């Protein structure tokens, strides 16, 4: 069982606390010159995303969580699991609905995603910051309208709905920021 | 640390402005003490003996089959000089503490330490305030010093008596203030007092004001003498500015037998915490046996002072190369 001493604490370190994997978001070393030292940390639960505070006596050890990011390719969904493949080993792994979470609306077959594995099981799936997707449904385009205001909802091939400018038509490829769910621009044909 | 050598920056972590401010600070300190006839001294960084304090860990190295320790403050040899009749002395030096790294900590830092013969704790607190005011110049507007006893601080800010409360009452105080894990942390009484002071009291101290907190609990006397009028407290003070601990001073304990007892108690605490026992400084004990003049002494963290004077928020901004670049 790997452990981390509090003096190894830094942002990004992954800990196992009360059976759940957490990541250190912020670590503050507090020590009066002649007194007891503490580490006050903010940690994020990697499953729920919830951020909590913890206080440790410096020098204590905390169990390390065996979690690692992997870049995997999304293959398909069988109704229960979403399958991803390691492009080097061709090994496949199924992620549950809970692990896929909100990323479900950005999942496109063949695209690469960051899958966080904990003890070999996917716990979160993160899309790339920017992705290019096809518009499958939106109101007819209004040609000549180049004003910035307004906009309209457009449904994308993965099911995500984003606001796009009025001139965007069905079947166009658009670039979207997955972190904000915002339209970035028309994608150039490649 | 996972930073590899190639990721480490060769460039300084402090700006040239701050390095110039540091040079001026050192110059002004020397001028201050020269004007007051306090002698600058230079004592060894390496010692066969070490600080026994259970909350301060020394860095250790081996040379010629002998264990040596990097000093955590120049206190012991400076007291030997005092016992030898040096009169008032000061020193500016690098000191080292193991396991201390953070926004306000670096394993090596610059300390100013000085001793005044015949001074009371109050005299020394006044001199600390004069020095800081002079050094601050026009950089920072610092209000007149606020002097506050440890007991008053707890009663004012937390409505709790630090001397009479037990660990469960102190824990309850931390729990009601929503300190994470207060319900389960395993701390002794001093640990709880440290937690409450650093997490709940110091952050409430008035801004841009020197806060001199004095009469620490006897259990945290370190090398200070106890208050004859109230032996629950020690003649020890600390200086805080804007929530940052800057200096720690004592009416120096002169009784050699009592000093030996404290060293042994420290080592007993270390043993309880499964920490290495530190070799006691017998040269200091002998010096105090021969006679330490009545004196008061204080140690001041100059990097932190520079941080406040230059408006920095992290120690790395005032160190030419902080530990991550050293």
């Amino acid at each position: 069982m790997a452990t981390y001493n509090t003096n190894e604490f830094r942002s990004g370190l992954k800990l196992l606390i009360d059976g759940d994997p957490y990541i250190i978001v912020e670590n503050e070393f507090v020590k009066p010159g002649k007194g007891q030292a503490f580490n006050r940390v903010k940690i994020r639960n990697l499953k729920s995303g919830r951020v909590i505070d913890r206080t440790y006596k410096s020098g204590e050890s905390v169990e390390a969580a065996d979690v690692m990011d992997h870049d995997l390719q999304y293959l398909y969904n069988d109704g229960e699991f979403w399958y991803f493949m390691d492009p080097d080993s061709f090994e496949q792994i199924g992620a549950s609905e809970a692990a896929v979470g909100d990323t479900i609306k950005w999942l496109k077959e063949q695209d690469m995603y960051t899958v966080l594995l904990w003890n070999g099981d996917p716990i979160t799936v993160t899309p790339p910051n920017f992705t290019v997707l096809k518009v499958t449904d939106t109101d007819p385009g209004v040609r000549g309208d180049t004003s910035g205001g307004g906009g309209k909802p457009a449904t994308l091939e993965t099911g995500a709905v984003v606001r796009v400018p009025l001139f965007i038509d069905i079947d166009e490829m658009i670039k979207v920021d997955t972190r904000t769910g915002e339209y970035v621009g028309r994608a150039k044909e490649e | 640390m996972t930073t590899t050598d190639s990721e480490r920056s060769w460039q300084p972590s402090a700006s040239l402005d701050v390095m110039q401010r540091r040079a001026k600070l050192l110059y002004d300190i020397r001028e201050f003490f020269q004007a007051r006839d306090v002698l600058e001294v230079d004592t060894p960084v390496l010692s066969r003996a070490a600080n026994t304090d259970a909350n301060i860990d020394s860095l250790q190295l081996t040379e010629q089959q002998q264990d040596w320790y990097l000093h955590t403050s120049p206190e012991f040899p400076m007291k030997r000089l005092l016992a030898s009749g040096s009169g008032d002395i000061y020193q500016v030096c690098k000191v080292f503490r193991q396991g201390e790294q953070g926004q306000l900590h670096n394993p090596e830092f610059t300390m100013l330490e000085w001793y005044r013969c015949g001074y009371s704790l109050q005299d020394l607190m006044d001199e600390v305030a004069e020095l800081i005011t002079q050094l601050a110049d026009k950089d920072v507007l610092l209000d007149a010093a606020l002097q506050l006893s440890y007991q008053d601080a707890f009663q004012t800010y937390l409505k709790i008596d630090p001397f009479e409360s037990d660990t469960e009452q102190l824990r309850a105080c931390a729990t009601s203030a929503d300190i994470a894990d207060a319900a389960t942390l395993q701390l002794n009484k001093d640990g709880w007092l440290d937690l409450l002071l650093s997490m709940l009291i110091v952050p409430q101290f008035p801004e841009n004001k020197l806060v001199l907190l004095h009469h620490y609990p006897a259990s945290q006397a370190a090398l200070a003498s106890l208050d004859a009028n109230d032996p629950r407290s020690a003649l020890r003070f600390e200086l805080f500015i804007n929530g940052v601990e800057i200096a720690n001073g004592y009416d120096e304990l002169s009784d050699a037998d009592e000093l030996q007892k404290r060293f042994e108690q420290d080592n007993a605490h270390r043993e309880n915490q499964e920490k290495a026992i530190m070799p006691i400084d017998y040269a200091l004990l002998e010096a105090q046996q021969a006679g330490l003049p009545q004196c008061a002494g204080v140690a001041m963290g100059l990097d932190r002072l520079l941080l406040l004077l230059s408006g920095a928020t992290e120690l790395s901004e005032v160190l030419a190369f902080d530990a991550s670049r050293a």
Side-chain angles (χ1 to χ4, degrees):
Chain A
M1 176 184 90
T3 60
Y4 291 116
N5 188 282
T6 55
N7 62 30
E8 297 172 275
F9 278 13
R10 58 188 156 70
S11 314
L13 204 70
K14 281 127 183 168
L15 306 174
L16 186 68
I17 295 164
D18 302 329
D20 272 356
Y22 284 83
I23 185 167
I24 297 181
V25 179
E26 209 177 290
N27 170 45
E28 186 191 4
F29 179 68
V30 179
K31 185 186 186 304
K34 299 265 173 196
Q36 173 70 50
F38 299 95
N39 285 71
R40 301 183 80 181
V41 293
K42 283 195 191 304
I43 51 175
R44 191 174 74 237
N45 186 312
L46 288 170
K47 287 161 69 182
S48 69
R50 216 161 63 89
V51 175
I52 59 168
D53 292 320
R54 292 299 294 252
T55 309
Y56 292 97
K57 268 203 294 189
S58 298
E60 282 183 355
S61 287
V62 183
E63 203 175 329
D66 180 17
V67 290
M68 270 255 283
D69 278 334
H70 295 261
D71 290 324
L72 303 181
Q73 186 177 38
Y74 173 57
L75 298 179
Y76 65 98
N77 162 234
D78 69 357
E80 189 181 3
F81 288 100
W82 283 257
Y83 290 89
F84 293 83
M85 182 182 74
D86 185 323
D88 297 323
S89 67
F90 304 110
E91 199 181 320
Q92 291 186 22
I93 195 158
S96 67
E97 189 172 355
V100 173
D102 287 343
T103 301
I104 195 162
K105 66 182 180 204
W106 303 117
L107 282 184
K108 185 183 172 187
E109 287 165 18
Q110 315 305 324
D111 278 3
M112 298 297 292
Y113 296 81
T114 302
V115 181
L116 187 66
L117 298 185
W118 175 37
N119 297 329
D121 291 326
I123 52 170
T124 61
V125 176
T126 312
N129 292 344
F130 298 100
T131 184
V132 172
L133 295 169
K134 185 191 278 186
V135 176
T136 54
D137 188 30
T138 189
D139 288 341
V142 183
R143 295 204 189 278
D145 186 341
T146 52
S147 67
K152 58 180 180 177
T155 306
L156 308 181
E157 57 184 311
T158 57
V161 177
V162 298
R163 283 200 78 76
V164 297
L166 297 175
F167 56 80
I168 296 293
D169 276 328
I170 293 176
D171 287 343
E172 279 197 75
M173 300 297 287
I174 63 165
K175 187 176 177 186
V176 183
D177 186 330
T178 59
R179 295 163 295 184
T180 57
E182 284 171 2
Y183 166 87
V184 178
R186 269 179 168 152
K188 307 251 183 321
E189 293 293 334
E190 288 176 38
Chain B
M1 293 290 144
T2 53
T3 319
T4 63
D5 284 341
S6 60
E7 283 169 334
R8 221 170 261 153
S9 173
W10 64 267
Q11 288 176 315
S13 48
S15 69
L16 187 57
D17 277 354
V18 173
M19 288 191 265
Q20 284 164 344
R21 188 68 186 87
R22 175 184 290 268
K24 177 172 161 40
L25 184 72
L26 292 172
Y27 179 87
D28 290 347
I29 287 168
R30 294 199 158 95
E31 201 173 51
F32 179 91
F33 286 111
Q34 191 169 22
R36 293 174 182 228
D37 275 328
V38 181
L39 177 70
E40 178 164 15
V41 297
D42 187 353
T43 59
V45 166
L46 278 179
S47 170
R48 290 179 188 82
N51 190 347
T52 52
D53 193 314
N55 287 316
I56 299 180
D57 293 321
S58 303
L59 285 160
Q60 188 188 341
L61 50 90
T62 309
E63 158 69 10
Q64 308 262 4
Q65 280 96 51
Q66 166 74 48
D67 285 339
W68 296 85
Y69 298 87
L70 290 167
H71 68 171
T72 60
S73 98
E75 181 168 6
F76 297 173
M78 285 182 83
K79 284 182 173 170
R80 285 162 64 189
L81 290 178
L82 288 161
S84 76
S86 66
D88 297 336
I89 48 175
Y90 80 97
Q91 177 161 201
V92 176
C93 59
K94 281 291 183 76
V95 297
F96 305 83
R97 294 183 182 188
Q98 193 187 333
E100 301 193 6
Q101 199 165 350
Q103 266 190 303
L104 291 173
H105 292 83
N106 198 63
E108 69 170 291
F109 60 98
T110 305
M111 183 175 272
L112 162 65
E113 183 151 329
W114 79 94
Y115 291 86
R116 292 294 230 143
C117 301
Y119 267 40
S120 67
L121 196 71
Q122 183 62 54
D123 295 335
L124 189 61
M125 285 197 285
D126 291 342
E127 187 165 60
V128 164
E130 283 164 37
L131 172 68
I132 301 279
T133 310
Q134 194 163 320
L135 294 175
D137 204 3
K138 292 170 196 76
D139 281 2
V140 216
L141 202 62
L142 289 174
D143 289 343
L146 167 72
Q147 295 197 4
L148 186 65
S149 79
Y150 193 91
Q151 191 176 24
D152 284 346
F154 275 73
Q155 282 170 335
T156 304
Y157 294 106
L158 297 179
K159 312 273 178 282
I160 193 167
D161 185 325
F163 296 145
E164 300 307 322
S165 303
D166 62 26
T167 53
E168 286 314 307
Q169 287 167 309
L170 297 171
R171 178 197 294 278
C173 182
T175 311
S176 66
D178 286 332
I179 295 293
D181 300 305
T184 52
L185 272 174
Q186 289 302 314
L187 299 170
N188 60 20
K189 182 171 175 179
D190 284 317
W192 283 112
L193 291 174
D194 286 337
L195 182 148
L196 295 174
L197 181 67
S198 48
M199 298 183 196
L200 296 174
I201 296 178
V202 174
Q204 293 190 65
F205 283 163
E207 265 184 69
N208 296 330
K209 210 176 178 64
L210 304 179
V211 179
L212 289 153
L213 188 68
H214 56 82
H215 284 79
Y216 271 66
S219 54
Q220 298 179 23
L223 302 190
S225 50
L226 298 187
D227 184 356
N229 299 317
D230 181 2
R232 293 179 308 171
S233 63
L235 298 177
R236 172 184 165 200
F237 74 89
E238 291 226 353
L239 167 68
F240 296 87
I241 306 173
N242 290 347
V244 180
E245 180 191 347
I246 300 290
N248 174 50
Y250 309 139
D251 177 298
E252 300 295 345
L253 173 71
S254 53
D255 184 321
D257 295 335
E258 173 64 19
L259 180 64
Q260 179 156 9
K261 214 190 300 175
R262 291 202 193 164
F263 283 160
E264 284 162 2
Q265 274 169 1
D266 282 349
N267 267 335
H269 287 311
R270 296 189 74 87
E271 204 166 9
N272 284 337
Q273 295 173 29
E274 295 174 4
K275 285 184 167 185
I277 303 296
M278 289 294 113
I280 286 176
D281 192 339
Y282 287 102
L284 174 63
L285 288 174
E286 276 177 46
Q288 295 214 182
Q289 210 84 53
L292 182 74
Q294 191 282 314
C295 62
V298 57
M300 185 178 284
L302 291 186
D303 308 299
R304 288 187 179 177
L305 182 60
L306 179 61
L307 171 131
L308 292 166
L309 296 182
S310 57
T313 53
E314 299 207 10
L315 220 51
S316 58
E317 296 170 61
V318 303
L319 300 168
F321 300 101
D322 70 324
S324 73
R325 296 168 192 236

